[in-house]
Amino acid sequence: MNPKENFDSNFGEASVPASRLVTSLASPIDASCRVPLLVLFSGAALWLVVGLLLSLAAVMTFHKPDMFADCPLLTYGRVQPAANDALLYGFCIPAGLGVMLWIFARLSRAELALPLVPVVAANLWHFGVLVGVVAILLGDSTGFVWLEFPRGGSALLFAAFLLIAISAVATFGQRRECELYPSHWFLLAALLWFPWIYSTANLFLVAWPVRGVAQVAINSWFATNLIFVWLALVGLGTAFYFLPKLAGRPLQTYYLALFVFWTLILFGSWMGITVSAPLPAWMSAASSVAAALTLVPVLAVAIITFKTVRGVPHGGISCKGEPFCYIKFGTAAFVLSALMLIAEACPQISRVIGFTWFGPAQVQLQILGFFTVVMSGAIHELLPCVMGFGLPFPKLVRLQHWLFMPGIVLWAGSLAVGGVAQGMKLGNPQTAFADSTAAALMFLRVGTTGLLFILLGSLLFATNIFIMTLKWKLALFKSLLAAFKAPLATPSASASLRRDRAVAEGKGGEVKP
Amino acid sequence: MRNGVIVFIAAFIALGVSWCGFVLAPVMQLGTEKQAAVLNSSDVYPIGRPGEANQGLQVYRANGCAACHTEQVQQSGFACDVMITSAGTNPPAVIAAWWRMQTNFFPNEMTQRFYSVIPNSGGVPQFPFERVRKEIADIAVESFQNVGAKAEIHIIAIGPDIERGWGLRRSVAEDFLYDQPVQLGSLRAGPDLANVGARLPDANWQLVHLYAPQALVKNSTMPPFRFLFEVRKIGNAPSPDALQFSKAFAPPAGCEVVPKPEAKQLAAYLSSLRADAPLYEAPFTPIMTKP
């Protein structure tokens, strides 16, 4: 196998979408990821729904401002950051980590190392998110964008991330060949990125806060490195694994991907300081230059994706709604959202769209359009392998895609257009301020429909995952029952079920199949 | 790339460099910042907020006002106004000098926005040149002085935010010296609040606005913060703090709306928001009264 093809044909099903391998039994490698992934993904699916519900509650302010006038928990200024954090910390990061663990196990051709550690960590993580989101709703936010969780929640997240990283690195260490795949670089870098930026931000802003506007610089640095760079690393690492696998041809090309990796981490990490901030001018100048340079990896991602999928069956932009579509759509959304981010850093453009809904539009496109879509595609693809049985409602996969796609276009699109309309009015002091609000209002209201579509899609996603978990628990329970009834007849329970049981009972990897 | 260590080192270097740039450097450059001298005065700026306003900043944080409001005024540059403070003994010469300058030297530059004349001077304009470049203002002042008038230059910040009346100058680092957390905000779903204390100094207006924004601003999309207030039966005597509303927003008969301590703190914080000291890095001439 040649890593330059980033094309792991381990089990020969590369050309057959796994969702169709309904009856195949999971390989030991896949099965080793089962329990950690289920915990990560089912929690994530729940947070996705919760986050979108909170987003909906937030946007309702623009339909009926006094809706939550008597309810401090749901006032816009609390529910809006809570929604964003639930989506990012609740869904994006754990989903990304789960997919990452599985990709590492697959690429290493080894079972997940220390499988119990990520199970504990996943529970810690989701508990940490719960603590954080509830704290925000109770008015205990730190006030820093994307870092709203108070200390307790952040500490839990940090510890959980480290635990998962340990398991991921150990799995990585078990690999049989030396050469790395493109996905490896992106995902490994992400493992380093998060603890670094998260600890820096928490130490300098929350634990021992620095004085004055240095907070603004650190907060912007953290937010960009998390929302742009970290999500890009994990999302692209995942896309660069699945694209060649689903297209049935190597990534086009290995060297271009290497180039993307380098330029992304070198330039992307300098973005985010806006021209408007009351900071020394060199900072925003450096950020603007970095943004211009980030154009290079972004265009390279577009080329890689286009060349990899062009001409293969179901390739190109044709689409039926299977996981392949998710990944293609997600990568396209990444390119678009990155272009929007770069545009915001350009002083001439930011004069119009600065401080408008264009910024939130970019964030929503990045989180929902890019990351959530890539992750749900990947999860739909890998979950049947991991579980050893197909999705309970494979048709919902397509339906979800056809809800997500228009939903995201409508939601992020109308926010962006509304932002431009608002910005044109804001920049002209002869128009009243209220006109700028009014200009964006109509778009916000239209966009709400898009948000509803996305919410429906996420419900389908959660349904598939929860029914799957339920089925698995039921099977587990049955096999336990059988084992209890006929202690000597254990061979009847399949090997993988016994492994699950062992993990569930807390014995980890000690069980011999 | 052949092994994981190289990837780690690559990522380490890339992130490390940006960490030095955007974390370490700002901490060293800005973290030790001190109060600055106010231009043409012996005062320093800023002086910390009073205690109640400081508590109000936490109410502002807890309720996420920064999700809709920024606290950063932008400015696109400077301009100068030339003001004649005394027409001197020969007003006609001053007027002649003014005409000469307009027609001969910079016919395109003069923009006089508020026409006013100095009383009893036979028509000497008070602001002969407005919004002009510094070089021009310097020449003008010199010319006026040559014919016996007294003139001075006023530095004015310009830009859409300033014209909206959101501030007298751009926001600078000093404005946020004592804020914890610093909440610049990034979306203007509502107006910029960096100078709201100077713009809307009436605490009672602020309280009524927080309780029912729509009562003061028609079609406001700002959510009411009624939970910061208490609606209670009027006791033996009405509370001195009770707010007055128009009919549509008034509480039920026999009840009164009284701000909770949080609301009062928040109003105190809003009144404390005023960045009106001219500083070296963002100068302007603090003349508030214009005809």
Side-chain angles (χ1 to χ4, degrees), chain B residues 229-286:
Chain B
F229 297 81
E230 199 182 339
V231 179
R232 62 180 189 208
K233 283 249 154 46
I234 300 176
N236 296 335
S239 159
D241 286 343
L243 302 175
Q244 304 302 320
F245 294 97
S246 60
K247 230 194 216 134
F249 296 90
C255 290
E256 61 184 358
V257 178
V258 184
K260 293 185 189 165
E262 293 95 307
K264 286 188 177 173
Q265 291 160 359
L266 186 55
Y269 169 68
L270 292 172
S271 317
S272 78
L273 284 171
R274 44 171 75 228
D276 50 9
L279 302 174
Y280 174 71
E281 53 183 310
F284 68 94
T285 310

Side-chain angles (χ1 to χ4, degrees), chain A residues 37 40-41 43-45 87-101 125-126 230 234 238 371-372 375-376 378-379 382 461:
Chain A
L37 259 53
L40 282 167
F41 292 161
L87 290 175
L88 178 75
Y89 292 102
F91 176 78
C92 293
I93 297 184
L97 289 175
V99 172
M100 181 194 294
L101 287 177
W125 179 279
H126 287 308
W230 197 88
V234 177
T238 306
F371 203 78
T372 303
M375 284 306 138
S376 35
I379 291 173
L382 66 83
F461 179 70

Side-chain angles (χ1 to χ4, degrees), chain A residues 398-417:
Chain A
R398 286 188 181 183
L399 189 57
Q400 185 195 337
H401 188 68
W402 290 115
L403 284 168
F404 263 29
M405 209 160 56
I408 284 157
V409 170
L410 204 59
W411 172 231
S414 47
L415 285 186
V417 177

Side-chain angles (χ1 to χ4, degrees), chain A residues 61-62 65-66 68-72 75-78 80-81 136 139-144 169 172 175 178-180 184-185 188-189 191-193 196-197 200 204-205 209-218 221 225 254 258 261-262 265-266 269-271 273 275-280 282-283 286-287 354-357 360 422 425-433 436-437 441, chain B residues 1-27 29-35 58 61-68 70-74 159-161 163-164 166 170-174 176-192 211 214 217-228:
Chain A
T61 296
F62 296 99
D66 63 350
F68 301 117
D70 297 302
C71 175
T75 188
Y76 181 82
R78 295 188 188 182
Q80 188 267 344
I136 296 176
D140 216 3
S141 137
T142 64
F144 294 107
V169 172
F172 174 76
R175 73 196 191 285
C178 199
E179 194 74 17
L180 302 187
H184 271 136
W185 319 324
L188 277 177
L191 282 181
L192 175 78
W193 225 259
W196 189 335
I197 60 173
T200 294
F204 282 95
L205 298 180
V210 294
R211 214 151 69 129
V213 287
Q215 294 179 1
V216 176
I218 297 172
W221 174 83
N225 272 293
Y254 177 90
L258 187 61
F261 175 71
W262 272 105
I265 60 172
L266 272 178
S269 54
W270 282 85
M271 288 168 77
I273 308 259
V275 193
S276 58
L279 287 169
W282 67 265
M283 287 191 186
S287 257
F355 301 133
T356 71
W357 286 99
Q422 179 194 10
K425 300 246 157 102
L426 259 183
N428 176 3
Q430 263 72 51
T431 48
F433 175 80
S436 73
T437 327
L441 203 59
Chain B
M1 283 191 282
R2 286 191 64 82
N3 73 50
V5 178
I6 297 182
V7 176
F8 258 112
I9 293 177
F12 192 89
I13 293 174
L15 187 54
V17 173
S18 90
W19 187 86
C20 290
F22 283 171
V23 177
L24 197 59
V27 168
Q29 191 179 353
L30 304 166
T32 55
E33 203 172 27
K34 298 204 178 62
Q35 291 167 316
Q58 299 309 327
R61 167 193 59 72
N63 293 298
C65 307
C68 286
T70 56
E71 284 184 13
Q72 39 178 333
V73 177
Q74 307 295 302
D161 289 9
E163 283 191 50
R164 282 191 187 282
W166 284 351
R170 69 187 174 92
S171 298
V172 294
E174 284 85 351
F176 306 96
L177 196 55
Y178 295 123
D179 287 6
Q180 172 60 39
V182 175
Q183 305 173 76
L184 289 185
S186 61
L187 175 68
R188 283 182 176 164
D192 189 277
Y211 182 81
Q214 290 78 13
V217 181
K218 213 168 153 269
N219 295 332
S220 171
T221 45
M222 170 152 157
F225 290 86
R226 288 205 286 264
F227 56 85
L228 296 175

Side-chain angles (χ1 to χ4, degrees), chain A residues 276-329:
Chain A
S276 58
L279 287 169
W282 67 265
M283 287 191 186
S284 69
S287 257
S288 298
V289 173
L293 291 170
T294 307
L295 213 54
V296 173
V298 170
L299 296 181
V301 169
I303 295 175
I304 293 177
T305 312
F306 183 68
K307 280 172 109 181
T308 305
V309 303
R310 188 183 49 179
V312 303
H314 308 296
I317 54 163
S318 74
C319 189
K320 290 221 202 73
E322 67 274 25
F324 194 23
C325 282
Y326 281 72
I327 313 271
K328 283 188 292 185
F329 178 78

